[in-house]
Amino acid sequence: MTEHDAPEGRKPSQTAAERLAALTRENADLRAQVAALSAAPAAPATVVVAGPPARHHRTRAFFAALLIVLGVVLAPVSVVVAWAQAEVTDTDRYVATVGPLAQDPVIQSAVANRLTAEVMKQIDVGALLDDAVSALDQQGLPPRVTTTLSALEVPLTNGVRSFVLKAATRVVESDAFSTAWVEANRTAHEQMVAVMEGQPGSVLQIGSEGQLTIQLAGMIDMLKTRLVEGGFGIAANIPTVNASFTLVQTSELVRVQNAYQLLDVAGSWLPWISLLLIAAGVLTARNRSRALVVAGLSLAGAMLVLGLGLTVGRTFYLRALSDQVVRLDAAAVVFDQLVAFIRLSLRTVGVAALVVAAAAYLGGRSDSARTLRAESARGFAAARTWAEGRGVSTGPVGAWLFRHKSLVRVLVLAVAGLVVLLAASPTPPLVITVALVAGALVVLLELVARPPGPATSAPDGEDPAPVAG
């Protein structure tokens, strides 16, 4: 190495040293800046950025909960009001409610006893026996005979009552009685609206203490005919009897009569208001799937409370009537029949609410729901792989369904909801059937929907693009 080359050989070493020193200084400066940033207070920035959204979320959650609570609280009231409005305005519903009472043995027995009592009021066995004794006295019969005949008044009365009761029982067990009962109630319902508006009715009447009664004049005429045909000719002299049979007695009927117009409007709109409040609460909530689960379970709980209320109300109702009616068992049958549609409605709403809650949970963001969906997806994928390995594939249809799977799923659920909402008489079996069919369609969609592979990603009629490598 020459003297000329030596300085040039040292120059690169000095340049590297200078660069190393510069990097060291730059690293020290960066460390100082990081330390300064770490030591600076971060609270003001956190408050400015996170404060308003936190308050917004709390406000949103409050209003969502308020709307759901209002809707759930109104739901039982809506069921009762809708039932009352239907019973008042829908003749077919009213006849369907009270019509089966004609076939109930307890009601048949009560009506037969009522008919017998009215007929016996018109047949004075004692007066008839006195007339017979007087006629025999005029014929000069011994006093012992007339005395013996007078002593037969009680047995004769009991015999006549037994004969009339048997005839009345045959009347109420006949098809003619069922027809007459239904027609009388149908005519009565046509007059119910007039009664609710304060106009007097001739068949159906509401007393000042809330007695809902049906007139028995036509049925007594049927009994008179049967008695005459049975050989009891004196029954033909029975005049027209203005008798009635009390279906139900409660002061609430008077209140319903006084609030008829409000009932008509509330029965039509209150169920929809309750449903809209619940829907608005769910849409307002930040976690809608969780809100829908809570709303569904709460609504089912409200229907359970309504069912318990009906059971408790039945007990108090019968206890209040224990000293006012002769046949308390008949009053129990009438009560159960009158509230049959309420019980059907609350069961339907309760089952629908549970179905919605279950669907919302399965589609929610909870860890358990996600795990369940993931396991199901793996099962569906394994089933598709197994089928495709044996030459069974959905092809382009499956690929299209996969791309539009969310839309198809929403359409299936929407159609299922409309079927239940628009049904003329939704029932728990209908709700369960629709839910099972919708679930089966969703499962079928998951099986048929086929993720597009390399062979299906290219347009129809073209070969897939070659893969590099």
Side-chain angles (χ1 to χ4, degrees):
M1 179 180 295
T2 63
E3 296 180 358
H4 179 73
D5 294 333
E8 293 181 357
R10 290 193 298 269
K11 186 175 181 180
S13 300
Q14 295 172 352
T15 302
E18 292 175 354
R19 289 180 178 178
L20 179 61
L23 289 174
T24 302
R25 289 193 300 272
E26 183 178 355
N27 188 26
D29 292 339
L30 289 175
R31 289 178 179 274
Q33 293 178 11
V34 170
L37 290 175
S38 301
T46 303
V47 171
V48 171
V49 175
R55 289 195 297 270
H56 172 70
H57 293 158
R58 286 194 296 269
T59 303
R60 184 175 177 180
F62 170 78
F63 280 106
L66 179 63
L67 290 170
I68 291 175
V69 168
L70 289 176
V72 170
V73 170
L74 280 180
V77 181
S78 303
V79 171
V80 175
V81 172
W83 163 82
Q85 187 257 359
E87 294 294 337
V88 170
T89 61
D90 190 341
T91 299
D92 293 334
R93 169 66 68 85
Y94 178 78
V95 171
T97 299
V98 301
L101 291 175
Q103 305 293 333
D104 190 278
V106 175
I107 299 300
Q108 290 177 345
S109 175
V111 174
N113 289 333
R114 186 76 176 90
L115 294 175
T116 300
E118 290 299 325
V119 170
M120 290 303 296
K121 288 180 182 179
Q122 306 300 323
I123 302 176
D124 191 346
V125 177
L128 293 175
L129 191 58
D130 290 340
D131 292 342
V133 170
S134 298
L136 292 175
D137 284 339
Q138 293 177 2
Q139 298 296 325
L141 291 179
R144 186 177 60 182
V145 176
T146 57
T147 302
T148 303
L149 288 176
S150 299
L152 294 176
E153 179 179 354
V154 174
L156 284 174
T157 301
N158 292 335
V160 171
R161 180 180 290 108
S162 177
F163 180 78
V164 174
L165 179 59
K166 289 181 180 178
T169 301
R170 289 195 298 270
V171 167
V172 298
E173 291 177 351
S174 65
D175 294 337
F177 171 75
S178 298
T179 303
W181 177 271
V182 169
E183 291 303 318
N185 278 282
R186 185 174 296 278
T187 303
H189 187 272
E190 294 173 355
Q191 296 187 5
M192 179 179 285
V193 175
V195 171
M196 290 297 175
E197 294 176 350
Q199 302 175 15
S202 61
V203 176
L204 189 76
Q205 299 175 356
I206 297 180
S208 59
E209 298 181 358
Q211 310 96 325
L212 182 63
T213 59
I214 184 169
Q215 297 299 311
L216 299 178
M219 299 171 193
I220 292 178
D221 290 339
M222 293 173 55
L223 177 55
K224 288 163 54 177
T225 302
R226 288 294 183 94
L227 291 173
V228 172
E229 292 176 352
F232 195 67
I234 194 173
N237 299 325
I238 298 176
T240 301
V241 180
N242 186 23
S244 62
F245 181 79
T246 300
L247 290 174
V248 64
Q249 179 174 351
T250 173
S251 59
E252 295 300 322
L253 287 174
V254 179
R255 298 179 185 178
V256 170
Q257 183 180 20
N258 295 334
Y260 170 73
Q261 296 296 337
L262 178 61
L263 174 68
D264 193 20
V265 175
S268 300
W269 290 102
L270 198 57
W272 292 106
I273 293 175
S274 174
L275 183 61
L276 289 175
L277 284 173
I278 294 175
V282 172
L283 294 176
T284 304
R286 184 181 180 188
N287 190 334
R288 293 174 180 172
S289 59
R290 181 183 301 173
L292 192 55
V293 171
V294 173
L297 295 178
S298 300
L299 188 57
M303 295 301 105
L304 178 61
V305 171
L306 176 57
L308 294 176
L310 289 177
T311 301
V312 174
R314 180 181 186 272
T315 301
F316 281 100
Y317 171 75
L318 296 178
R319 186 177 299 171
L321 290 181
S322 59
D323 298 331
Q324 302 180 27
V325 297
V326 178
R327 296 291 300 271
L328 198 59
D329 55 347
V333 171
V334 171
F335 180 90
D336 292 337
Q337 186 61 31
L338 286 176
V339 301
F341 282 101
I342 297 184
R343 290 187 171 128
L344 178 63
S345 298
L346 69 88
R347 290 167 185 163
T348 302
V349 175
V351 170
L354 291 177
V355 169
V356 170
Y361 163 75
L362 292 175
R365 294 183 289 178
S366 65
D367 293 339
S368 58
R370 289 177 175 175
T371 301
L372 182 60
R373 291 199 300 270
E375 294 295 333
S376 300
R378 281 192 285 271
F380 293 139
R384 283 194 300 270
T385 302
W386 179 86
E388 290 177 357
R390 287 158 177 76
V392 179
S393 175
T394 56
V397 174
W400 184 91
L401 288 174
F402 182 83
R403 290 193 299 269
H404 302 87
K405 185 164 58 175
S406 298
L407 175 61
V408 175
R409 189 187 298 119
V410 169
L411 288 177
V412 169
L413 297 178
V415 170
L418 287 176
V419 169
V420 175
L421 287 176
L422 299 180
S425 299
T427 60
L430 174 65
V431 174
I432 294 174
T433 301
V434 172
L436 291 177
V437 171
L441 290 176
V442 171
V443 170
L444 182 62
L445 173 65
E446 295 294 336
L447 285 173
V448 174
R450 177 173 176 266
T456 60
S457 59
D460 295 341
E462 299 182 6
D463 295 330
V467 180

